Amino acid sequence: MNEDEKILKLIGFPKIKAKLDQNESPFNVPEEILNQASETLKYINYYPTEKLYDEIRYLYSEYAKVDVEKVWVAPGVDLFFDEYFFHFKSKGFVASPRPTFFLFEKEAYHMGYEIIGIKLKEPEFKIEINSFLNHVKQADFCYIDNPNNPTGNLIIEREGFEEIAKLNKPVLLDEAYYEFCNNTFIDLIENYEYLGIIRTLSKVFCLAGARISILITGKEISKIMNKDILRFRLSTISLVLAKLALENRKYIHEVIQKLNYEREKMIYEINKLGLKAYKSYTNFILIYSEIDNLAERLKEKGILVKDVSFQMGKGYIRVSVGDEKTNEYFIKSLKELLES
Ligand SMILES: Cc1ncc(COP(=O)(O)O)c(C=O)c1O
């Protein structure tokens, strides 16, 4: 076993050729950041400091151009979901598009909620505002992932979104993939006190394993966030990685540019093969095909993708955009499956 294989074994990484199932970045953060961060392990016997937590809030506020008091950090968006489920529960209904981020759905059921969903219809996958407004009125709060997972599409326009925000109910807008499309409603945070916006360092910042998730909150939502609790959830090594990544954030531009370029190339190649690859504003692609058990058959070739038939119906998979070599292997494997 070589050194790299030993490390992969240590972290339990699957023995495969292509990991395209969780919308991770195929690129890592710059090496200097990794080296500097690993030096801090010398002090891992101490708890993380409040100062470090506040520095991340400050650095992200600078990046997102919002006030620092509005920025919160947690290890995983699911913890923010839980804050909402916990604080706003009255009738036990939450409104969201269908399909939506599967972890949100799981968490909703776990917290005793029923989802009042609105179906996103092909090929546009847009939210129909009037029906959704009715759903939101009946719900304790609403969640919208824009771009949406797993369709990859932008599902709501600013005008429609503001109609929802004006209801003065908590609205949780998930912009985890914002950097791939530059589409954001973050400026509305000043106008709507019940608005919350999710961001993450898991995608273009290439830090999925560090679990750094961000919530930006309007005035009323800020009141329910408790810094003393939130700050104790993150480890020093994760906070250090977040700090160095945000301080040296120039690298994300290259990540965005490469992945957007690779995504368009993949969409073109997949459609050329006669499968349907949908437009995407993210680092993943929704694909429809009539090949039976496509996800399973790709797995036999060492490629992991996400089977989303449980959300979309038979024939749909979601594939992350990898680096050039991995994507070429994916396309080559698809071709082989079609020819077999
Ligand atoms: C819509 C959406 N929100 C959030 C996340 C995950 O964010 P985090 O890694 O910060 O928990 C994902 C991950 O795939 C996602 O698709």
Side-chain angles (χ1 to χ4, degrees):
M1 212 187 284
N2 66 31
E3 276 312 301
D4 212 41
E5 284 167 345
K6 277 188 204 157
I7 294 169
L8 290 171
K9 183 163 182 266
L10 181 66
I11 64 169
F13 205 80
K15 278 191 183 163
I16 38 136
K17 292 197 179 122
K19 189 171 185 320
L20 301 177
D21 58 336
Q22 285 187 297
N23 309 340
E24 294 140 325
S25 161
F27 311 112
N28 207 334
V29 294
E31 209 170 317
E32 313 85 76
I33 294 183
L34 296 181
N35 292 339
Q36 217 181 327
S38 60
E39 286 293 310
T40 66
L41 290 175
K42 271 189 228 160
Y43 298 98
I44 205 69
N45 50 320
Y46 292 102
Y47 283 115
T49 64
E50 186 166 354
K51 184 166 184 289
L52 184 54
Y53 185 84
D54 283 339
E55 275 173 341
I56 314 302
R57 294 179 76 198
Y58 175 74
L59 283 163
Y60 199 89
S61 77
E62 212 186 37
Y63 167 68
K65 301 188 180 63
V66 291
D67 296 338
V68 62
E69 306 81 56
K70 295 185 161 63
V71 180
W72 309 94
V73 195
V77 291
D78 32 315
L79 285 161
F80 290 131
F81 294 161
D82 286 355
E83 292 293 324
Y84 273 68
F85 289 131
F86 177 72
H87 280 283
F88 298 115
K89 192 161 189 181
S90 69
K91 290 180 275 187
F93 294 124
V94 61
S96 87
R98 273 253 161 83
T100 192
F101 181 30
F102 81 99
L103 193 57
F104 180 81
E105 287 198 359
K106 276 200 171 178
E107 211 67 27
Y109 295 131
H110 176 65
M111 300 297 276
Y113 273 77
E114 195 177 313
I115 297 179
I116 335 179
I118 177 145
K119 194 166 160 41
L120 303 176
K121 292 200 196 101
E122 292 216 32
E124 288 277 289
F125 297 119
K126 296 274 185 217
I127 288 186
E128 205 282 293
I129 291 297
N130 289 333
S131 323
F132 196 57
L133 278 169
N134 285 332
H135 286 49
V136 178
K137 281 178 196 159
Q138 294 164 46
D140 297 341
F141 73 96
C142 99
Y143 168 79
I144 302 170
D145 49 347
N146 194 48
N148 168 262
N149 181 356
T151 66
N153 205 17
L154 284 166
I155 58 173
I156 194 160
E157 310 289 337
R158 175 174 288 258
E159 216 185 354
F161 183 78
E162 281 206 67
E163 281 190 55
I164 295 166
K166 277 184 193 143
L167 293 177
N168 255 354
K169 283 230 169 146
V171 178
L172 185 55
L173 174 69
D174 190 335
E175 293 189 347
Y177 300 95
Y178 139 74
E179 285 93 347
F180 294 103
C181 56
N182 255 324
N183 186 91
T184 179
F185 301 151
I186 203 165
D187 53 297
L188 299 180
I189 210 76
E190 297 298 332
N191 307 358
Y192 299 103
E193 299 184 344
Y194 284 95
L195 178 56
I197 298 184
I198 282 172
R199 296 282 186 85
T200 182
L201 301 200
S202 300
K203 308 297 171 187
V204 301
F205 283 91
C206 314
L207 280 174
R211 311 297 283 118
I212 312 284
S213 313
I214 307 285
L215 180 68
I216 295 151
T217 49
K219 207 164 150 205
E220 282 303 315
I221 306 288
S222 298
K223 287 183 193 162
I224 67 165
M225 292 294 142
N226 185 330
K227 189 181 100 173
D228 289 337
I229 292 175
L230 284 171
R231 79 179 181 88
F232 271 113
R233 290 182 173 168
L234 281 135
S235 69
T236 301
I237 187 69
S238 291
L239 289 169
V240 165
L241 283 164
K243 176 174 167 168
L244 296 174
L246 286 163
E247 276 177 348
N248 300 283
R249 60 182 173 263
K250 269 202 203 124
Y251 72 93
I252 71 169
H253 300 297
E254 198 179 329
V255 174
I256 298 165
Q257 189 250 324
K258 277 191 192 159
L259 289 176
N260 280 349
Y261 176 76
E262 283 298 320
R263 181 191 63 223
E264 293 312 305
K265 229 168 66 181
M266 264 175 106
I267 290 178
Y268 174 77
E269 294 289 339
I270 295 163
N271 284 326
K272 211 167 81 178
L273 290 176
L275 286 74
K276 177 142 185 60
Y278 291 81
K279 181 156 183 58
S280 169
Y281 294 86
T282 65
N283 66 336
F284 62 83
I285 303 168
L286 178 72
I287 300 173
Y288 173 77
S289 98
E290 288 183 355
I291 306 174
D292 272 343
N293 300 323
L294 182 55
E296 272 308 307
R297 294 177 70 188
L298 286 166
K299 200 171 168 189
E300 286 161 16
K301 291 184 175 289
I303 302 173
L304 292 186
V305 300
K306 186 149 180 90
D307 184 338
V308 289
S309 53
F310 72 100
Q311 291 176 297
M312 300 291 303
K314 192 167 177 265
Y316 289 88
I317 59 167
R318 192 197 67 199
V319 180
S320 326
V321 178
D323 58 17
E324 187 178 8
K325 226 173 100 205
T326 309
N327 300 338
E328 277 171 10
Y329 179 66
F330 173 75
I331 298 292
K332 181 173 150 270
S333 305
L334 268 187
K335 262 189 208 153
E336 285 168 8
L337 283 177
L338 283 165
E339 283 159 11
S340 66

